[in-house]
Amino acid sequence: MSYVKYEQKDFVGVVTIDREKALNALNNEVLCDLEAVIDAVDVDKTRCLIITGAGAKAFVAGADIAAMCNMTSEEGRAFSAKGNAVFRKIEKLPIPVIAAVNGFALGGGCELALSCDIRIASENAVFGQPEAGLGITPGFGGTQRLARTIGVGKAKELIFACRNVKADEALQIGLVNAVYPADQLMDEAMKLAKRISENAPIAVRQCKKAINMGLQMDIDSAVALESELFAACCGTQDQRNAMTAFCEKRKHDPFINK
């Protein structure tokens, strides 16, 4: 792919938005490349995915403003629909996805990070939704996911005022899980991804499904869903091997996703 690179490291996949000269800004071509990479991820061999940006300045600095400047309403609708479709594919992947935010994550970049399950950031990371200052709304889910992540009031403040937040504040408001020096970010992302991949893949996937689907339900429906997903784990080879090892006070065999 021209603008998106993929690397497999054991059970961890690493996706890199690689348009460094444009601060990894998103246009239709980048979105198409990202979609193709996401579609090609082998979720039977990959237990966790990391998404990051090329270079030291930006995760994704936003959507490509030059490409958007003269968009008609219909063209804007199509561009927004494309971005939303790609980000929903990321969000709906059965495996956990970590955003390793290594610099600017503005507009579409912030929205890309929000579509991931977990966000960790470098100390130079900056987040924001500057769209209202450019005469538009966020178009790739920012109004929805930001409010769900940091709360409605804080999300409205950032979106209405076009206020950027640096890494330390992003940690304080719950936008990211952790902040690291820039030269340690990918090592820490890989460390977390490997820790996730060491757990039972079926169970991790069911946990993701329970959380993501349950948040859209009333509590009675959500706990009923959890019971069904719990039951689906029982009787798997991984569950039996791990619990038998626990009872026998020994380390369990590596999980085999069965």
Side-chain angles (χ1 to χ4, degrees):
M1 296 296 163
S2 299
Y3 293 123
V4 182
K5 309 300 182 188
Y6 183 82
E7 185 179 3
Q8 189 77 31
K9 298 183 178 181
D10 298 322
F11 291 121
V12 179
V14 180
V15 177
T16 304
I17 313 297
D18 190 11
R19 196 185 176 208
E20 188 175 353
K21 290 182 179 180
L23 297 179
N24 304 320
L26 301 174
N27 57 19
N28 271 309
E29 191 171 0
V30 177
L31 289 171
C32 287
D33 285 358
L34 179 58
E35 182 174 33
V37 167
I38 296 302
D39 286 343
V41 173
D42 187 342
V43 295
D44 292 324
K45 296 180 180 178
T46 308
R47 299 181 181 180
C48 191
L49 198 67
I50 298 170
I51 298 180
T52 193
K57 293 184 178 180
F59 173 69
V60 168
D64 192 329
I65 303 301
M68 298 168 61
C69 193
N70 295 310
M71 276 185 179
T72 65
S73 179
E74 286 303 310
E75 289 169 337
R77 182 177 290 108
F79 185 54
S80 176
K82 179 65 174 181
N84 274 317
V86 176
F87 290 5
R88 280 292 283 156
K89 283 188 175 185
I90 293 169
E91 193 169 44
K92 293 166 70 175
L93 275 173
I95 58 176
V97 183
I98 300 168
V101 181
N102 55 311
F104 291 111
L106 304 175
C110 187
E111 291 166 310
L112 174 58
L114 286 165
S115 73
C116 299
D117 297 293
I118 297 168
R119 287 158 294 284
I120 63 173
S122 60
E123 291 174 336
N124 66 321
V126 179
F127 297 83
Q129 300 287 167
E131 288 89 349
L134 296 167
I136 55 174
T137 71
F140 296 162
T143 58
Q144 304 308 305
R145 293 191 184 94
L146 189 62
R148 285 165 166 79
T149 301
I150 66 171
V152 173
K154 181 58 71 172
K156 286 180 176 179
E157 175 194 339
L158 299 189
I159 292 171
F160 297 169
C162 302
R163 188 169 75 79
N164 294 343
V165 297
K166 295 181 180 179
D168 56 349
E169 185 177 357
L171 179 62
Q172 180 184 358
I173 65 177
L175 182 52
V176 300
N177 294 60
V179 176
Y180 300 102
D183 61 354
Q184 297 177 23
L185 178 66
M186 285 307 295
D187 287 342
E188 294 295 337
M190 186 61 63
K191 190 183 302 183
L192 176 58
K194 286 183 175 179
R195 181 164 184 173
I196 290 170
S197 70
E198 289 171 356
N199 292 315
I202 294 172
V204 171
R205 293 182 187 201
Q206 302 292 45
C207 288
K208 175 172 176 173
K209 184 184 295 186
I211 295 169
N212 286 358
M213 291 181 64
L215 285 172
Q216 311 305 317
M217 300 175 174
D218 64 86
I219 188 64
D220 290 324
S221 299
V223 296
L225 170 66
E226 182 183 84
S227 292
E228 288 301 313
L229 298 175
F230 171 85
C233 294
C234 294
T236 62
Q237 191 170 337
D238 281 344
Q239 176 256 335
R240 287 176 176 169
N241 285 341
M243 287 192 172
T244 298
F246 179 86
C247 292
E248 295 176 354
K249 298 182 180 180
R250 61 175 173 82
K251 187 176 181 180
H252 62 75
D253 297 330
F255 291 112
I256 58 174
N257 201 20
K258 290 184 180 179

